Amino acid sequence: MGAKERTLSIIKPDATRRDLTGKINAKFEDAGLHIVAQKRLHLTEEQAGKFYEVHKERPFFKDLVDFMISGPVVVQVLEGEDAVALNRKVMGATNPANADPGTIRKEYAESIEANSVHGSDSLDNAKKEIAFFFSETEIVG
């Protein structure tokens, strides 16, 4: 059995626009991940830029920020055994064309950018990303 972990999940604007929040969350829950915090919000350009600061020098940075502020997102904390790896498995490959059948991105992504979900890529990043959006009192396991 793996360690109990927390990871950040963002349901992106392409998915909230199509009312896929419930279907996506059912996939997380069916996989054994528990939603222990959740907010629906509309990111500002400043928030999106700060959140994705690690990509600031990359050519896709401005498009990513513009996309992430194009509509509401659902930010949430998922908790479970090996939550970081499990969340990434449930999401599927970044490029939906390479994602396994049954994964969120295979079923719902519109493109590499509009790929419906974001998930932390490591435990260290999960801690930073969770703290970006949530105070400890907002996480109820």
Side-chain angles (χ1 to χ4, degrees):
M1 301 240 307
K4 192 177 210 181
E5 297 174 349
R6 288 179 174 165
T7 189
L8 185 82
S9 167
I10 302 177
I11 300 177
K12 295 180 178 183
D14 64 293
T16 61
R17 178 174 32 81
R18 292 176 290 148
D19 294 320
L20 295 173
T21 302
K23 289 178 179 169
I24 288 171
N25 282 339
K27 286 193 174 286
F28 292 138
E29 291 177 332
D30 289 348
L33 292 164
H34 305 281
I35 300 166
V36 294
Q38 185 178 68
K39 294 181 198 178
R40 183 179 176 97
L41 46 92
H42 203 131
L43 294 174
T44 65
E45 189 169 358
E46 184 182 351
Q47 284 174 311
K50 193 164 170 43
F51 184 78
Y52 287 108
E53 201 168 39
V54 64
H55 298 305
K56 201 172 184 77
E57 303 306 317
R58 308 285 282 279
F60 60 81
F61 177 74
K62 181 171 178 0
D63 287 343
L64 175 62
V65 169
D66 288 347
F67 169 63
M68 291 301 291
I69 65 173
S70 69
V73 297
V74 175
V75 295
Q76 51 197 12
V77 179
L78 305 178
E79 184 177 83
E81 283 183 35
D82 300 319
V84 173
L86 182 54
N87 179 36
R88 297 189 69 75
K89 182 179 175 191
V90 174
M91 288 191 307
T94 303
N95 181 345
N98 301 334
D100 290 335
T103 60
I104 292 167
R105 289 175 172 156
K106 187 61 151 189
E107 292 190 16
Y108 302 124
E110 295 178 322
S111 67
I112 291 176
E113 182 181 81
N115 63 10
S116 301
V117 282
H118 162 89
S120 305
D121 62 3
S122 70
L123 204 48
D124 280 348
N125 282 340
K127 288 182 173 124
K128 290 177 197 149
E129 291 179 355
I130 289 168
F132 186 88
F133 287 108
F134 295 95
S135 68
E136 200 54 44
T137 59
E138 294 176 294
I139 303 170
V140 184

